[in-house]
Amino acid sequence: MQITHLKNTCKNIRENILKLSFKAKTGHIASNLSVVEIVFTVLYQKYHEKDKIEFILSKGHASIAYFSCLLNFKKITNKQLGTIFQNNSKFGGHVTSNISEIIFSTGSLGHGLPYAAGLSYALNLKKSKSKVIVVISDGELNEGTTWETFLIASHHKLKNLCVIIDNNKFQALGRTKNILDMGNLKKKILSFGADVEETDGHDILKIKKFINKKTSSFKVLIAHTIKGAGIEFMEDKLLWHYKSMSQEDLDDATRDLRTL
Amino acid sequence: MRDALKSYLENKFDSNSFFITNDLGYNVLDKIAEKNKKNFVNIGICEQSAIGFASGVSDYFKNTFVYSIGNFLTIRALEQIRNDICYHNKNITMISVGAGFSYSKYGYSHYCIEDAGLVGSLPNVDVFTPFDSYTLLKCLEHCEQSKKPNYIRIGNIIENLERKVKYSKNIFGINRMKKNNKTNKCVISIGRVSGFVNRLIENKLCNHYILLSNNNTKSLNTIIKKYKHVCIVDEQVERLSIVNNFHAEPNKITKIAISNNNSYEEIGSNEFLINKYMKLEKQINNFLKL
């Protein structure tokens, strides 16, 4: 499939994120926008390329990006997603596993990776060819379970485990480097025995290449992304972690929407 | 009870089972670790990650176990137990050692006096405190079949009641000591503290019932209806204890649990701590005078 088409699909997914976020009157918009190409590429491999993939979105607050990607692959319907944030809906501000295709609920940071490691271990024992792909936020690097699980993944040689860090450089109250500086992140994770690469987290082909890369240990992609990516006035702004959109904001954002 | 656990695992553990220990179980888990190199993992001292890992593994194994000392396993990893096991309704049996004041001389870092209440407050999970090897086996067999989250708390046996107790057939049922039809009083105790209770009331005109499950109010209510005076004993802090479920009839029910207003700085024998922090002997004696 043409890369231009894939990029346009991601633009459409962003547009849907804006519409749904506006409808839900919710924040976390910028966190949803930063992870679009990552989630899209993983699900493209799973549903279009028919790769055997177990996917966990550990940064559960990007649920709207995940839902929008599932909608794109026709795994959920517009009607279902139309209930977002309404009473009795299954579609909320974090990922819940009672929705088709979602295997694990997340929202509390630091939960997705240990689960993914257990799944990887079990699939290895069962001689499965499935990959386990977990997307974590750079804020989740603050959590002890992330580093504990890097140790576990390394010790047990979980080479079917692929971790993608949505490295948008922000966490709840500011820039990650000002709150808990990770220093040389690649060097740190390399020291845990992982196969580590850094890439542009909005580059679908590079993400795809990394997912398909065969490694002798677990692998980690530090995907450099832009918080609020695709809408200039939201990009790299902490405000859009919290703020919900007015009608004017939505109109401006839709007009400004660009292909990455 | 550790021998019973060891024997159960050595006989029943197979390729459908998976065991995760947080670097504990010396002389208990050695043989199954040796025999099952792939589906036995000493994951290290990382209880939160261990619970998440167990949740992942359990998608592909019939019986998944996680093992540690009670407070490390539950209090440290409570959110993981809630989200990754209970809300997902995973088929996982958490097994802890050190129930109540079992690690009596090792200080409050090792006391498991809140765990049953905290875990028992979560959805889908049943909490069991067996009081001897037989009841531990019953709990393990129940968990093997239950296909849901369970939490078994193992503690030191205070007094072996095996020859004195009439066991219930059902894990949620009522185990009882020798019954006297002439009394209008009974003590209901939960789990291992029952050994102490028995010492205090064995030859007194008072019946004694023992429950295994810390969230078994149905059986408790069945017994309570039959007596004029009832005493409930639970080795958990009062605010989290099953005794808190009974607010009606305050003159009928005497509640004995661990006092909340302590920092448990003093150590001592099991009996010393139970009397210091639960006033067990004093309160039982007062109850018998009613």
Side-chain angles (χ1 to χ4, degrees):
Chain A
M1 199 170 278
Q2 292 289 320
I3 184 65
T4 316
H5 176 73
L6 300 181
K7 284 183 171 189
N8 281 332
T9 305
C10 286
K11 189 181 169 190
N12 293 339
I13 288 168
R14 281 200 168 83
E15 192 172 358
N16 201 45
I17 290 170
L18 292 173
K19 283 181 190 165
L20 290 168
S21 300
F22 177 73
K23 186 176 183 213
K25 296 184 173 52
T26 183
H28 287 154
I29 300 166
S31 309
N32 277 284
L33 294 170
S34 71
V35 82
V36 169
E37 281 77 14
I38 298 171
V39 176
F40 171 76
T41 309
V42 174
L43 296 186
Y44 181 83
Q45 290 302 112
K46 182 178 167 81
Y47 298 126
H48 191 268
E49 302 286 315
K50 308 288 182 202
D51 280 2
K52 286 186 175 173
I53 289 173
E54 300 288 349
F55 175 61
I56 301 109
L57 181 65
S58 190
K59 55 169 284 183
H61 56 287
S63 58
I64 298 180
Y66 193 3
F67 300 152
S68 298
C69 289
L70 286 173
L71 179 72
N72 175 74
F73 291 103
K74 298 186 171 40
K75 299 299 169 186
I76 54 175
T77 63
N78 258 319
K79 191 181 172 191
Q80 287 174 302
L81 202 45
T83 65
I84 195 161
F85 273 61
Q86 290 176 7
N87 290 341
N88 217 24
S89 174
K90 291 177 178 179
F91 298 89
H94 291 94
V95 172
T96 306
S97 65
N98 55 12
I99 295 164
S100 158
E101 302 294 316
I102 297 179
I103 58 170
F104 192 66
S105 300
T106 51
S108 300
L109 300 181
H111 285 236
L113 182 54
Y115 169 81
L119 204 57
S120 302
Y121 191 100
L123 288 165
N124 269 341
L125 279 192
K126 301 287 179 187
K127 315 271 185 224
S128 164
K129 296 255 165 65
S130 290
K131 294 177 191 131
V132 179
I133 301 179
V134 55
V135 174
I136 68 172
S137 65
D138 49 352
E140 285 189 272
L141 296 167
N142 291 187
E143 294 279 3
T145 51
T146 302
W147 301 96
E148 287 173 6
T149 307
F150 284 165
L151 287 171
I152 292 164
S154 173
H155 183 85
H156 294 285
K157 299 179 176 56
L158 302 179
K159 59 183 182 182
N160 58 344
L161 177 64
C162 170
V163 183
I164 302 177
I165 303 169
D166 175 11
N167 195 28
N168 64 25
K169 327 283 188 297
F170 274 99
Q171 56 191 91
L173 289 183
R175 293 195 185 273
T176 52
K177 73 172 180 185
N178 295 334
I179 293 164
L180 204 53
D181 191 1
M182 289 295 140
N184 188 333
L185 183 58
K186 184 176 180 181
K187 196 175 166 189
K188 271 195 179 70
I189 302 174
L190 272 172
S191 77
F192 283 75
D195 188 295
V196 189
E197 279 187 25
E198 292 188 76
T199 195
D200 173 357
H202 300 296
D203 188 324
I204 295 167
L205 294 180
K206 284 182 180 163
I207 298 167
K208 185 179 163 70
K209 192 178 167 195
F210 183 80
I211 289 171
N212 291 327
K213 182 184 174 189
K214 292 210 182 320
T215 55
S216 55
S217 61
F218 76 106
K219 58 186 177 186
V220 179
L221 181 65
I222 303 169
H224 295 289
T225 59
I226 302 163
K227 191 147 177 138
I231 294 141
E232 200 176 347
F233 71 88
M234 289 185 179
E235 285 183 357
D236 210 34
K237 303 271 192 312
L238 182 66
L239 175 71
W240 292 99
H241 188 76
Y242 296 98
K243 194 175 183 295
S244 59
M245 285 177 287
S246 63
Q247 181 65 55
E248 197 185 349
D249 292 330
L250 176 66
D251 295 342
D252 289 349
T254 311
R255 195 182 52 244
D256 287 0
L257 199 54
R258 64 185 175 98
T259 307
L260 294 179
Chain B
M1 273 200 267
R2 289 185 194 214
D3 286 343
L5 175 65
K6 186 177 169 181
S7 156
Y8 171 86
L9 291 171
E10 284 170 12
N11 290 320
K12 293 281 189 88
F13 198 81
D14 60 17
S15 58
N16 293 318
S17 312
F18 200 97
F19 201 102
I20 299 159
T21 175
N22 288 282
D23 203 30
L24 287 164
Y26 181 74
N27 221 7
V28 176
L29 305 175
D30 311 30
K31 266 196 183 171
I32 65 154
E34 184 59 34
K35 272 189 188 172
N36 303 278
K37 292 208 185 295
K38 287 180 177 170
N39 48 342
F40 179 99
V41 171
N42 179 354
I43 202 153
I45 307 158
C46 49
E47 294 76 10
Q48 296 168 338
S49 296
I51 295 291
F53 189 90
S55 180
V57 159
S58 71
D59 288 356
Y60 288 89
F61 285 86
K62 195 177 157 214
N63 289 300
T64 302
F65 301 90
V66 196
Y67 181 92
S68 189
I69 290 176
N71 54 310
F72 306 156
L73 184 65
T74 61
I75 301 175
R76 182 174 292 180
L78 192 64
E79 189 190 46
Q80 278 76 9
I81 292 174
R82 187 189 77 145
N83 292 10
D84 306 352
I85 294 183
C86 294
Y87 285 169
H88 282 89
N89 202 15
K90 296 282 177 130
N91 181 13
I92 293 172
T93 300
M94 297 168 276
I95 301 175
S96 79
V97 289
F101 289 117
S102 289
Y103 286 112
S104 60
K105 292 185 180 170
Y106 292 87
Y108 63 63
S109 64
H110 282 55
Y111 297 163
C112 303
I113 56 179
E114 297 96 355
D115 58 331
L118 291 169
V119 177
S121 69
L122 302 176
N124 300 322
V125 65
D126 281 316
V127 180
F128 300 104
T129 309
F131 58 90
D132 61 10
S133 299
Y134 176 77
T135 50
L136 171 60
L137 284 176
K138 296 284 279 183
C139 291
L140 288 163
E141 282 164 11
H142 167 83
C143 296
E144 192 182 317
Q145 301 300 326
S146 79
K147 296 180 180 164
K148 61 186 281 302
N150 287 290
Y151 175 43
I152 302 177
R153 309 168 65 242
I154 301 174
N156 290 350
I157 296 179
I158 293 160
E159 184 186 335
N160 192 349
L161 303 176
E162 230 164 74
R163 289 186 185 164
K164 299 174 182 173
V165 68
K166 183 167 170 35
Y167 293 106
S168 157
K169 283 181 188 164
N170 182 341
I171 187 115
F172 294 104
I174 300 159
N175 306 282
R176 66 170 171 81
M177 308 303 288
K178 195 177 172 187
K179 199 175 171 188
N180 187 327
N181 289 327
K182 290 177 185 168
T183 182
N184 57 9
K185 277 183 202 152
C186 80
V187 177
I188 307 166
S189 56
I190 319 292
R192 72 156 212 140
V193 75
S194 307
F196 270 133
V197 173
N198 185 62
R199 275 189 207 165
L200 297 170
I201 63 170
E202 195 170 14
N203 298 314
K204 304 286 178 1
L205 197 59
C206 176
N207 286 332
H208 182 193
Y209 300 95
I210 306 173
L211 301 182
L212 303 182
S213 172
N214 288 63
N215 39 8
N216 188 359
T217 44
K218 193 179 165 193
S219 289
L220 268 167
N221 281 322
T222 308
I223 305 166
I224 289 168
K225 277 181 197 164
K226 294 178 183 168
Y227 289 88
K228 188 177 175 190
H229 299 290
V230 178
C231 174
I232 306 170
V233 183
D234 185 16
E235 198 184 358
Q236 283 284 283
V237 292
E238 199 176 339
R239 283 184 204 138
L240 296 167
S241 165
I242 195 169
V243 302
N244 257 333
N245 294 357
F246 301 93
H247 298 294
E249 302 181 272
N251 295 330
K252 175 173 176 169
I253 300 174
T254 301
K255 303 168 184 179
I256 306 179
I258 298 168
S259 158
N260 272 100
N261 300 320
N262 279 298
S263 49
Y264 313 104
E265 282 163 352
E266 292 80 15
I267 57 114
S269 67
N270 271 257
E271 193 164 5
F272 173 82
L273 294 182
I274 283 174
N275 279 322
K276 181 175 173 69
Y277 296 122
M278 296 174 72
K279 308 266 181 276
L280 182 70
E281 189 168 353
K282 189 179 167 188
Q283 293 204 71
I284 289 277
N285 287 338
N286 289 341
F287 175 74
L288 293 172
K289 286 176 197 162
L290 290 174

